[in-house]
Amino acid sequence: NAGVTQTPKFQVLKTGQSMTLQCAQDMNHNSMYWYRQDPGMGLRLIYYSASEGTTDKGEVPNGYNVSRLNKREFSLRLESAAPSQTSVYFCASSTKRYRGEGTNYGYTFGSGTRLTVV
Amino acid sequence: KNEVEQSPQNLTAQEGEFITINCSYSVGISALHWLQQHPGGGIVSLFMLSSGKKKHGRLIATINIQEKHSSLHITASHPRDSAVYICASVPLGGATNKLIFGTGTLLAVQP
């Protein structure tokens, strides 16, 4: 099925451990994003990649790194996990198409990764 | 700074009721998304609109650009509509389409 695939779905880490969250899309989208979702807060952008070969910081980049491996794949790495990084992480991808009624930002989310850091 | 606010934060309805969720934003936008998230589930895009009104099944989304306000309506609500509904704006002038999210409205539809 076409869409955004994230792995793993669940992960428990000890403080100081590292891990990489994987994301791949097969919709030929140019832009990809990593968000985190915390209770009582809207989703917040960690990093994004407007196109293959480029990455930029979002609202909450500290403690994370990203790699846009190719057009399909965008990974998020936690080098030294901290309890404050306990969250649900979503990868997303988008395109930008112009139609008669205006700009259409086709936007697709992955199913999320629930990360707990103890 | 663009902020997106939703109301109500929590909503309980009886099956069959007409439901309205509101979203307001503070600066100009190029588009607004309505998203649905079931408990423990992923996020699904329901609508993207930049003007007027869109309808899909029992769901209707409207936007008033001048008033910086959008609404999501659910007609003949059903328990399977129970979810968190999130609006997200796409700011004008962004080099890429980064969304700014509201905190969501938790809807519970009771049978």
Side-chain angles (χ1 to χ4, degrees), chain B residues 23-77:
Chain B
C23 175
S24 61
Y25 50 92
S26 56
V27 300
I29 65 171
S30 58
L32 186 132
H33 292 261
W34 280 102
L35 310 167
Q36 180 191 57
Q37 184 177 24
H38 282 103
I43 299 171
V44 176
S45 178
L46 299 174
F47 295 103
M48 191 286 304
L49 64 165
S50 53
S51 64
K53 175 182 176 179
K54 287 192 175 179
K55 184 176 188 293
H56 186 260
R58 295 181 293 106
L59 301 178
I60 303 167
T62 63
I63 190 167
N64 185 317
I65 296 295
Q66 287 75 24
E67 295 186 2
K68 297 185 173 62
H69 182 269
S70 177
S71 294
L72 178 68
H73 305 285
I74 305 175
T75 61
S77 59

Side-chain angles (χ1 to χ4, degrees), chain A residues 31 33 35 37 40-43 45 48 50 90 94-95 101 103-105 107 109 111, chain B residues 30-31 33 35 37 40-43 45 48 50 86 90 96-99 101-103:
Chain A
S31 301
Y33 313 83
Y35 293 95
Q37 185 180 40
M41 305 184 75
L43 281 89
L45 181 66
Y48 69 99
F90 288 95
S94 74
T95 186
E101 69 272 23
T103 303
N104 178 16
Y105 296 86
Y107 223 97
F109 288 86
S111 57
Chain B
S30 58
H33 292 261
L35 310 167
Q37 184 177 24
I43 299 171
S45 178
M48 191 286 304
S50 53
I86 303 168
V90 183
T96 182
N97 36 345
K98 297 174 288 182
L99 304 186
F101 296 83
T103 54

